[in-house]
């Protein structure tokens, strides 16, 4: 062999024996978690023909829209404590707007805290944990400092304009149906300030080249329903229609099922009721536009291809169905939430019909982003439903979703399960009544089938599911710590 040929052979041999260059580590995924306050499924992507929600509709078109997603407790503080801790109310012990979850589980690692411990930059803008609205806007409310690296508390003209707000009970806004067609621009409102802050933070993240978990909590459409006047014009009063409630409706349900009905809500009929509904829909359209600003920033900065986007609400909301407004019932409108998740490279434009729960978000996001899930999460990862893993998705085929309301004793204690096309509810363990609805034939839940002999087997099956989930809870609980004794853990 000639000398040049020998050298070529020698070099080739050396190259073959050299170890292959290591594959670059995949870029960590970011998370953009967007939560609205008191938003039911009154958006176009969920089939609401009177909604104007183009931003959310576009997000649903590029992600998975969960048709049957449920909160664990239809009240702000309990629901948010469950969602962000990944634990049910039985574990958090939060069943009102006063208690902090760390009173019961002081050393728990929350969803955002898990990302923080794993090295993500974790930030909050607006309402994630509970705030009283509107009194606590601009404060930390019942925040959880170990969950975040940084927090931002916007406060807009909707707070300073309180004197202009109409309320069913003069001077009361947060727990009472109230509204205002506001002067000024979107950017002056608290949620407008939050959207602008979110874009600023996204711009900073794009420069820092560090994975981030950004949680943006919008306040609308929570009462007072405040939106600039142009959003009211999107929903002309002449086109607003209240739901029809049968005159004999109340005779068919336990009295406990209607305990969330407030006396002043009896005024929400006729034109006044339509004005309230117009204001709610205007607030939804306004906050949809703010979500759109954040999503546009994500796209413009080239971050969308590496970011898991989640959009949801803390619970559902009544807009006159069953003669109810607001929350804290166990009818479908109160328990069901909008939930859209867009995963880079995942399924898009899909409507998923499996029953899922808000506590599923914690294991889902940890799994999708390679973050170690801390012990204590009680939900199940939705990754198979997002990536199209048909075999793994089989585990969700008959999975029930549970929602509860009220305290632990008395007729106001309600426990409910959505299983397949059935919703079944017990009040005070059944002593104060029960309800059964077939969503195949009665999606508005107007015909209570619980006492029909032909449905006895279904009642027994669903009753077993509820007692397996809530049985111990139906007994008198041990005394709770006084509300002031919250202990915060140290460190991230």
């Amino acid at each position: 062999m000639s000398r040049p040929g020998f050298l070529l052979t020698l070099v080739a041999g050396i190259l073959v024996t050299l170890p292959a260059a290591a594959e670059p580590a995949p870029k960590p995924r970011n998370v953009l978690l967007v939560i609205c306050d008191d938003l039911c499924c009154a958006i176009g992507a969920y089939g609401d023909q009177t909604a104007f929600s183009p931003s959310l509709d576009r997000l649903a078109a590029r992600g998975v829209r969960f048709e049957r997603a449920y909160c664990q407790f239809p009240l702000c503080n309990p629901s948010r404590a469950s969602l962000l801790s990944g634990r049910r109310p039985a574990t958090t012990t939060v069943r009102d707007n006063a208690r902090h979850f760390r009173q019961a589980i002081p050393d728990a690692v929350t969803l955002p805290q898990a990302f923080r411990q794993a090295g993500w930059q974790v930030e909050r803008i607006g309402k994630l944990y509970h705030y009283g609205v509107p009194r606590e806007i601009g404060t930390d409310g019942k925040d959880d400092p170990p969950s975040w690296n940084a927090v931002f508390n916007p406060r807009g003209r909707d707070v300073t304009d309180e004197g202009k707000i109409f309320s069913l009970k003069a001077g009361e806004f947060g727990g009472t149906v109230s509204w205002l067609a506001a002067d000024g621009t979107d950017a002056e409102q608290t949620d407008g300030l939050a959207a602008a802050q979110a874009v600023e933070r996204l711009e900073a993240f794009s420069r820092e080249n560090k994975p981030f978990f950004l949680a943006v909590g919008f306040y609308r459409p929570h009462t007072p329903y405040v939106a600039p006047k142009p959003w009211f014009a999107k929903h002309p009063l002449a086109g607003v229609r209240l739901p029809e409630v049968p005159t004999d409706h109340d005779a068919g349900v336990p009295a406990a099922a209607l305990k969330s009905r407030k006396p002043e809500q009896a005024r929400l009929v006729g034109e006044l009721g339509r004005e309230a509904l117009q204001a709610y829909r205007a607030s939804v359209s306004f906050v949809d536009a703010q979500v759109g600003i954040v999503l546009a920033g994500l796209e413009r900065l080239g971050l969308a291809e590496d970011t898991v986007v989640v959009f949801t609400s803390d619970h559902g909301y009544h807009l006159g169905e069953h003669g109810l407004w607001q929350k804290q019932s166990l009818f479908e409108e109160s328990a069901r939430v909008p939930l859209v998740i867009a995963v880079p490279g995942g399924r898009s434009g899909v409507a998923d019909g499996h029953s899922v729960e808000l506590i599923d978000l914690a294991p889902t996001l940890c799994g999708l982003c390679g973050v170690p899930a801390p012990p204590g999460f009680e939900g199940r990862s939705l990754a198979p439903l997002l990536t199209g893993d048909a075999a793994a998705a089989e585990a969700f085929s008959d999975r029930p979703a549970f929602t509860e309301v009220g305290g632990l004793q008395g007729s106001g204690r309600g426990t409910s399960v959505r299983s397949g096309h059935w919703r079944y509810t017990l009040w005070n363990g059944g002593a104060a009544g029960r309800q059964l609805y077939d969503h195949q034939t009665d999606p508005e839940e107007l015909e209570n089938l619980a006492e029909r002999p032909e449905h006895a087997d279904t009642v027994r099956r669903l009753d077993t599911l509820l007692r397996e989930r809530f049985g111990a809870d139906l007994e008198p609980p041990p005394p709770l710590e006084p509300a002031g004794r919250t202990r915060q853990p140290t460190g991230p």
Side-chain angles (χ1 to χ4, degrees), residues 382-395:
L382 304 178
L385 305 179
L386 297 166
T387 61
D389 185 342
E394 279 297 311

Side-chain angles (χ1 to χ4, degrees), residues 254-317:
L258 303 173
K259 286 194 71 172
S260 63
R261 185 183 289 164
K262 300 176 182 179
E264 68 271 14
Q265 293 171 358
R267 297 172 57 193
L268 293 174
V269 295
E271 185 168 352
L272 188 64
R274 292 190 294 115
E275 287 178 3
L277 184 52
Q278 177 196 39
Y280 182 89
R281 293 193 174 280
S283 296
V284 173
S285 295
F286 159 67
V287 79
D288 173 86
Q290 310 319 303
V291 174
I293 289 171
V294 179
L295 295 177
L298 192 75
E299 293 279 355
R300 174 175 59 82
L301 295 164
L303 295 171
E305 62 188 22
D306 298 312
T307 301
V308 178
V309 179
V310 178
F311 174 82
T312 191
S313 174
D314 49 359
H315 46 70
Y317 204 78

Side-chain angles (χ1 to χ4, degrees), residues 92-339:
T92 67
T93 71
V94 178
R95 293 183 172 90
D96 58 30
N97 279 341
R99 188 170 173 81
H100 197 287
F101 71 93
R102 292 220 183 261
Q103 291 175 241
I105 45 175
D107 300 314
V109 176
T110 66
L111 164 61
Q113 191 178 359
F115 275 78
R116 185 180 177 190
Q117 290 181 345
W120 271 246
Q121 178 66 17
V122 182
E123 301 187 2
R124 166 186 68 76
I125 299 173
K127 181 176 178 177
L128 268 297
Y129 291 99
H130 180 59
Y131 288 63
V133 177
R135 300 301 184 193
E136 293 183 331
I137 290 177
T139 74
D140 279 332
K142 283 186 170 54
D143 200 15
D144 180 56
S147 289
W148 320 107
N149 295 107
V151 300
F152 303 89
N153 295 311
R155 185 180 189 274
R157 71 172 292 170
D158 43 310
V159 179
T160 56
D161 280 349
E162 281 185 12
K164 303 176 182 179
I165 295 171
F166 169 81
S167 176
L168 293 180
K169 297 176 72 174
E172 295 188 19
F173 308 122
T176 305
V177 174
S178 49
W179 62 89
L180 173 67
D183 295 318
T185 66
D186 290 8
E188 297 174 274
Q189 299 289 319
T190 297
D191 286 344
L193 296 172
Q197 181 69 57
V199 173
E200 286 185 22
R201 296 311 302 148
L202 291 173
E203 289 171 343
F205 297 147
S206 70
R207 295 190 299 268
E208 294 164 2
N209 195 31
K210 182 179 181 180
F212 64 83
F213 183 114
L214 179 62
V216 184
F218 291 113
Y219 289 90
R220 302 280 86 89
H222 193 291
T223 53
Y225 314 140
V226 178
K229 290 175 180 175
W231 296 110
F232 280 72
K234 290 284 187 182
H235 302 276
L237 194 60
V240 175
R241 295 287 181 271
L242 292 168
E244 295 183 9
V245 182
T247 55
D248 61 348
H249 173 277
D250 291 8
V253 297
L258 303 173
K259 286 194 71 172
S260 63
R261 185 183 289 164
K262 300 176 182 179
E264 68 271 14
Q265 293 171 358
R267 297 172 57 193
L268 293 174
V269 295
E271 185 168 352
L272 188 64
R274 292 190 294 115
E275 287 178 3
L277 184 52
Q278 177 196 39
Y280 182 89
R281 293 193 174 280
S283 296
V284 173
S285 295
F286 159 67
V287 79
D288 173 86
Q290 310 319 303
V291 174
I293 289 171
V294 179
L295 295 177
L298 192 75
E299 293 279 355
R300 174 175 59 82
L301 295 164
L303 295 171
E305 62 188 22
D306 298 312
T307 301
V308 178
V309 179
V310 178
F311 174 82
T312 191
S313 174
D314 49 359
H315 46 70
Y317 204 78
H318 281 290
L319 297 170
E321 307 89 0
H322 306 282
L324 300 173
W325 287 77
Q326 300 181 273
K327 50 216 176 187
Q328 295 198 74
S329 92
L330 287 176
F331 289 106
E332 186 83 350
E333 292 86 359
S334 178
R336 183 184 178 217
V337 298
L339 176 61

Side-chain angles (χ1 to χ4, degrees), residues 419-461:
S419 177
H421 56 91
W422 298 101
R423 173 169 293 286
Y424 179 65
T425 301
L426 291 175
W427 294 99
N428 195 23
R434 56 185 179 173
Q435 296 163 274
L436 176 69
Y437 300 104
D438 183 351
H439 275 250
Q440 284 187 333
T441 59
D442 181 26
E444 295 179 340
E445 296 184 340
L446 296 175
E447 186 178 10
N448 184 5
L449 305 174
E451 306 305 328
R452 301 278 185 88
E454 64 269 30
H455 296 295
D457 288 343
T458 298
V459 167
R460 277 192 289 270
R461 178 177 66 84

